[in-house]
Amino acid sequence: MIKKFHIRINDKSRVPKYKQIVDSIVQDISNGILAIGEKIPSINELSELCYFSRDTVEKAYKLLKERKIIVSSPGKGFYIAQSENIIRTNILLMVNKPSSYKMMVYNSFANLVGLEANVTMSVYHNDETLFLNTLEQGLHTYDYFVIQSHFRNKQMNHTSFTDKVVRMLDSIPRDKLILLDNVNPGIRGKYGAISQDFKNDLYNSLVKGLEKIKQYDKIILVYPRKIINPYPAGILQGFKEFCTDHNLDYEILDEIYDDMELQNQKDVYVTIQERDLVNLVRQVNKENLRLGKDIGIISYNETPLKELLGITVISTDFKAMGEAAADMFINKKKEHVKNPFRYIERNSL
């Protein structure tokens, strides 16, 4: 005997009907209307009962099986499975590259969300095709999407969005989307966003360290170009404007080169990549120079190791970003907020 249950369909909704079938079944399980081990209608039975196409029901049941909410038994039918995923939202968190900073965002988000959801992190390496393919597949599997949007163009330069990415993001229901780092006017309607202002954040942070920076003869930004995971151009723009506005002698390098001429040059370096910071500190130590006296260092993005080593940093608050995204998810907020950015002065300046 198969219990009758109600499939709630809103014909005016932009949510696909197969997804509404999934949501209805999950809701009935959560409300105790359907119990674990209980048999549900076959694909043909539900199609006839609710006037759906067979393809629509088949797509819904496939998704329910992928999420382990139902199981099928050959010759017997479909049954509600015993799965902890039944009453939990599945969230896809997409980041552009693997790094300790991205893990800070993931950990703070997942820890605050707690038992309310299953959080899966996916890395797309700034690649548009990989991003689009992953997200297209995820649209059929996940209920909620938290996305950092960073890509490289054909010239290997950074871009926050591409036309294809905007169209894909615009297809996600607004109450299921949170963007991190960047927003785009092409994504219509109200949705959650926690953004950075790469240009002004860097500019304003360097202003806070201006008096110390003026003690050096030159300020040098180590800004890697043409790399697989490029950095926002706003960082470069903010640095140039800061130096020009304050009449500072400056230079921009692609990397910290081995055996650089550090002696008799009282410079302060702003490093972005970890390997450049490590290489610079190694050479400072080799030349017996005094960090914060002979050579200054400001590093982009805070880590526990930089705190331990006494490295001055300018950094967005990654923990705060993850927590803000979790708060938006938990409390169903659709608002745009700017993430805190900090200047933390230590002995390296």
Side-chain angles (χ1 to χ4, degrees), residues 161-324:
F161 296 92
T162 68
D163 291 341
K164 290 181 180 179
V165 167
V166 170
R167 286 196 294 270
M168 177 68 79
L169 294 176
D170 196 40
S171 70
I172 299 174
R174 298 302 172 267
D175 59 344
K176 306 295 184 183
L177 176 65
I178 295 176
L179 291 184
L180 304 181
D181 286 348
N182 300 294
V183 296
N184 187 287
I187 304 169
R188 299 159 296 181
K190 292 184 178 180
Y191 58 90
I194 304 100
S195 63
Q196 297 191 61
D197 183 344
F198 293 96
K199 174 184 172 182
N200 290 316
D201 283 343
L202 183 132
Y203 183 104
N204 293 331
S205 294
L206 291 179
V207 167
K208 293 178 181 178
L210 181 60
E211 291 308 310
K212 286 288 187 71
I213 291 172
K214 282 182 175 179
Q215 297 175 15
Y216 295 88
D217 297 328
K218 178 186 282 190
I219 180 170
I220 299 171
L221 173 65
V222 188
Y223 180 83
R225 310 169 195 257
K226 313 302 182 185
I227 57 176
I228 191 168
N229 293 318
Y231 289 90
I235 296 174
L236 190 60
Q237 295 163 0
F239 175 78
K240 289 180 177 179
E241 286 193 14
F242 167 77
C243 295
T244 301
D245 290 348
H246 297 92
N247 299 312
L248 299 174
D249 185 16
Y250 73 91
E251 186 176 357
I252 298 168
L253 301 178
D254 289 327
E255 62 180 294
I256 293 294
Y257 301 98
D258 294 334
D259 300 321
M260 290 182 65
E261 296 292 335
L262 298 179
Q263 291 284 5
N264 303 317
Q265 297 182 19
K266 190 175 172 64
D267 299 330
V268 56
Y269 290 81
V270 181
T271 64
I272 298 179
Q273 290 204 119
E274 297 293 285
R275 67 185 181 191
D276 289 316
L277 173 62
V278 170
N279 198 1
L280 181 58
V281 171
R282 182 183 292 119
Q283 294 186 54
V284 167
N285 292 337
K286 181 180 177 181
E287 298 292 334
N288 294 317
L289 298 174
R290 297 170 299 170
L291 193 58
K293 300 293 184 181
D294 304 314
I295 295 290
I297 297 179
I298 302 171
S299 185
Y300 196 84
N301 290 334
E302 169 74 314
T303 67
L305 183 59
K306 293 173 187 177
E307 180 182 6
L308 183 65
L309 295 176
I311 303 296
T312 296
V313 296
I314 51 177
S315 177
T316 197
D317 190 329
F318 297 101
K319 184 173 182 289
M321 179 177 286
E323 290 175 345

